[in-house]
Coordinates of all heavy atoms in Angstrom, one line a residue:
T24 N 1.7 34.8 4.7 CA 1.7 34.7 3.3 C 1.5 33.3 2.9 O 0.7 33.0 2.0 CB 3.0 35.3 2.7 OG1 3.1 36.6 3.2 CG2 3.0 35.2 1.3
F25 N 2.2 32.5 3.5 CA 2.1 31.0 3.2 C 0.6 30.5 3.3 O 0.0 29.9 2.5 CB 3.0 30.1 4.1 CG 4.3 29.9 3.5 CD1 4.9 30.9 2.6 CD2 5.1 28.9 3.9 CE1 6.1 30.7 2.1 CE2 6.4 28.7 3.4 CZ 6.9 29.6 2.5
A28 N -1.9 32.0 0.8 CA -1.6 31.4 -0.6 C -2.2 30.0 -0.7 O -2.7 29.6 -1.7 CB -0.1 31.3 -0.9
D135 N 9.1 17.7 -7.4 CA 10.3 18.1 -6.6 C 11.6 17.7 -7.3 O 12.7 17.3 -6.6 CB 10.3 17.4 -5.2 CG 9.8 18.3 -4.2 OD1 9.4 19.5 -4.5 OD2 9.6 18.0 -2.9
N144 N 7.5 20.7 -13.4 CA 7.9 20.3 -12.2 C 6.9 20.9 -11.1 O 6.8 22.1 -11.0 CB 9.3 20.7 -11.8 CG 9.7 20.2 -10.4 OD1 9.5 19.0 -10.1 ND2 10.4 21.0 -9.6
T145 N 6.1 20.0 -10.5 CA 5.2 20.4 -9.4 C 5.9 20.3 -8.1 O 6.4 19.2 -7.7 CB 3.9 19.6 -9.5 OG1 3.3 19.7 -10.7 CG2 2.9 20.1 -8.4
T146 N 5.9 21.4 -7.3 CA 6.7 21.4 -6.1 C 6.1 22.5 -5.2 O 5.3 23.3 -5.6 CB 8.2 21.7 -6.5 OG1 9.0 21.6 -5.3 CG2 8.3 23.0 -7.2
S147 N 6.6 22.5 -4.0 CA 6.4 23.7 -3.1 C 7.5 24.8 -3.5 O 8.5 24.4 -4.3 CB 6.8 23.3 -1.7 OG 5.9 22.3 -1.3
D148 N 7.2 26.0 -3.1 CA 8.2 27.1 -3.3 C 9.3 27.0 -2.3 O 9.2 27.4 -1.2 CB 7.5 28.3 -3.2 CG 8.4 29.6 -3.3 OD1 9.6 29.3 -3.5 OD2 8.0 30.7 -3.1
N149 N 10.3 26.2 -2.7 CA 11.4 25.8 -1.8 C 12.2 27.1 -1.4 O 12.9 27.0 -0.3 CB 12.2 24.7 -2.2 CG 11.4 23.4 -2.2 OD1 11.1 22.9 -1.1 ND2 11.1 22.8 -3.4
W150 N 12.2 28.0 -2.3 CA 13.0 29.2 -2.0 C 12.2 29.9 -0.8 O 12.8 30.4 0.2 CB 13.0 30.2 -3.1 CG 14.0 29.8 -4.2 CD1 15.3 30.0 -4.3 CD2 13.7 28.9 -5.3 NE1 15.9 29.4 -5.4 CE2 14.9 28.7 -6.0 CE3 12.6 28.2 -5.7 CZ2 15.0 27.9 -7.2 CZ3 12.6 27.4 -6.9 CH2 13.7 27.3 -7.6
G151 N 10.9 30.0 -0.9 CA 10.1 30.6 0.2 C 10.1 29.8 1.4 O 10.4 30.4 2.6
I152 N 10.1 28.5 1.4 CA 10.2 27.6 2.5 C 11.6 27.9 3.3 O 11.6 28.1 4.4 CB 10.1 26.1 2.1 CG1 8.6 25.8 1.9 CG2 10.6 25.2 3.2 CD1 8.5 24.4 1.3
G153 N 12.6 27.8 2.4 CA 14.0 28.0 3.1 C 14.2 29.3 3.7 O 14.7 29.4 4.9
K154 N 13.7 30.3 3.0 CA 13.8 31.7 3.6 C 13.0 31.9 4.9 O 13.5 32.3 5.9 CB 13.5 32.7 2.6 CG 13.5 34.1 3.0 CD 12.2 34.7 3.4 CE 11.2 34.8 2.2 NZ 9.9 35.3 2.5
D155 N 11.7 31.5 4.9 CA 10.9 31.6 6.0 C 11.3 30.8 7.2 O 11.1 31.3 8.3 CB 9.4 31.4 5.6 CG 8.9 32.5 4.7 OD1 9.5 33.7 4.7 OD2 8.0 32.2 3.9
L156 N 11.7 29.6 6.9 CA 12.1 28.7 8.1 C 13.4 29.3 8.7 O 13.5 29.3 10.0 CB 12.4 27.3 7.5 CG 12.6 26.3 8.7 CD1 11.4 26.0 9.4 CD2 13.2 25.0 8.1
P181 N 15.4 20.1 -3.9 CA 14.7 20.9 -2.8 C 15.5 21.2 -1.6 O 15.5 22.2 -0.9 CB 13.5 20.1 -2.5 CG 13.2 19.3 -3.8 CD 14.5 19.0 -4.3
I184 N 18.1 23.9 -2.3 CA 17.5 25.3 -2.2 C 17.3 25.6 -0.8 O 17.6 26.8 -0.4 CB 16.2 25.3 -3.1 CG1 16.5 25.0 -4.5 CG2 15.5 26.6 -2.9 CD1 15.2 24.8 -5.4
R185 N 16.7 24.8 -0.1 CA 16.4 25.2 1.4 C 17.7 25.5 2.2 O 17.7 26.5 2.9 CB 15.7 24.1 2.1 CG 14.2 23.8 1.5 CD 13.7 22.4 1.9 NE 12.6 22.0 1.1 CZ 12.0 20.8 1.1 NH1 12.5 20.0 1.9 NH2 11.0 20.6 0.3
Q188 N 19.1 28.8 1.0 CA 18.4 29.9 1.6 C 18.7 30.1 3.1 O 18.7 31.3 3.6 CB 16.8 29.7 1.5 CG 16.4 29.8 0.0 CD 16.5 31.2 -0.5 OE1 17.5 31.8 -0.8 NE2 15.4 31.9 -0.6
V265 N 11.3 20.5 7.6 CA 10.4 20.8 6.5 C 9.6 19.5 6.2 O 10.2 18.4 6.2 CB 11.2 21.2 5.2 CG1 10.1 21.4 4.1 CG2 12.0 22.5 5.5
A286 N 8.0 23.6 8.3 CA 7.3 24.1 7.1 C 6.5 22.9 6.5 O 7.2 22.0 5.9 CB 8.3 24.6 6.1
A287 N 5.2 22.9 6.6 CA 4.4 21.9 6.2 C 4.0 22.0 4.7 O 3.3 23.0 4.4 CB 3.0 21.8 7.1
Q288 N 4.4 21.0 4.0 CA 4.0 21.0 2.6 C 2.6 20.3 2.4 O 2.1 19.8 3.4 CB 5.0 20.2 1.7 CG 6.5 20.8 1.8 CD 7.4 20.1 0.8 OE1 7.4 20.4 -0.4 NE2 8.2 19.1 1.3
Q289 N 2.1 20.4 1.2 CA 0.8 19.8 1.0 C 0.9 18.6 0.0 O 0.6 18.8 -1.2 CB -0.2 20.8 0.4 CG -0.5 21.9 1.4 CD -1.5 22.9 1.0 OE1 -2.7 22.5 1.0 NE2 -1.2 24.1 0.5
I293 N 0.1 18.3 -4.0 CA 1.1 18.3 -5.1 C 0.9 17.2 -6.0 O 1.1 17.3 -7.2 CB 2.5 18.3 -4.3 CG1 2.8 19.6 -3.6 CG2 3.6 17.9 -5.4 CD1 4.1 19.5 -2.8
E313 N 7.3 25.4 -13.9 CA 7.1 25.1 -12.5 C 5.7 25.4 -12.1 O 5.2 26.4 -12.5 CB 8.2 25.8 -11.6 CG 9.6 25.6 -11.9 CD 10.3 24.5 -11.0 OE1 9.8 24.3 -9.9 OE2 11.2 23.9 -11.5
T314 N 5.1 24.5 -11.3 CA 3.8 24.7 -10.6 C 4.1 24.6 -9.2 O 4.5 23.7 -8.6 CB 2.8 23.7 -11.1 OG1 2.6 23.8 -12.5 CG2 1.5 24.0 -10.4
Y315 N 3.8 25.7 -8.5 CA 4.0 25.8 -7.0 C 2.7 25.6 -6.2 O 1.7 26.1 -6.5 CB 4.6 27.1 -6.7 CG 6.0 27.4 -7.2 CD1 6.1 28.5 -8.1 CD2 7.0 26.5 -7.0 CE1 7.5 28.7 -8.7 CE2 8.3 26.8 -7.5 CZ 8.5 27.8 -8.4 OH 9.7 28.1 -8.9
V316 N 2.8 24.6 -5.3 CA 1.7 24.4 -4.3 C 2.2 25.0 -3.0 O 3.3 24.6 -2.5 CB 1.3 22.9 -4.2 CG1 0.4 22.7 -3.1 CG2 0.9 22.4 -5.5
P317 N 1.5 25.9 -2.4 CA 1.9 26.6 -1.2 C 2.2 25.7 -0.1 O 1.6 24.7 0.1 CB 0.9 27.7 -0.8 CG 0.1 27.9 -2.2 CD 0.2 26.5 -2.8
A318 N 3.2 26.1 0.7 CA 3.5 25.4 2.1 C 2.9 26.3 3.2 O 2.6 27.5 3.0 CB 4.9 25.1 2.2
L319 N 2.9 25.7 4.3 CA 2.3 26.4 5.5 C 3.4 26.3 6.7 O 3.7 25.2 7.1 CB 1.0 25.8 5.9 CG 0.0 25.6 4.9 CD1 -1.1 24.7 5.3 CD2 -0.6 27.0 4.4

Side-chain angles (χ1 to χ4, degrees):
T24 302
F25 270 24
D135 262 359
N144 182 43
T145 302
T146 182
S147 299
D148 174 3
N149 288 294
W150 289 270
I152 284 176
K154 179 260 294 179
D155 289 336
L156 190 68
I184 294 171
R185 296 166 196 167
Q188 290 294 73
V265 179
Q288 301 189 82
Q289 302 187 70
I293 288 173
E313 299 261 334
T314 301
Y315 295 119
V316 175
L319 308 167

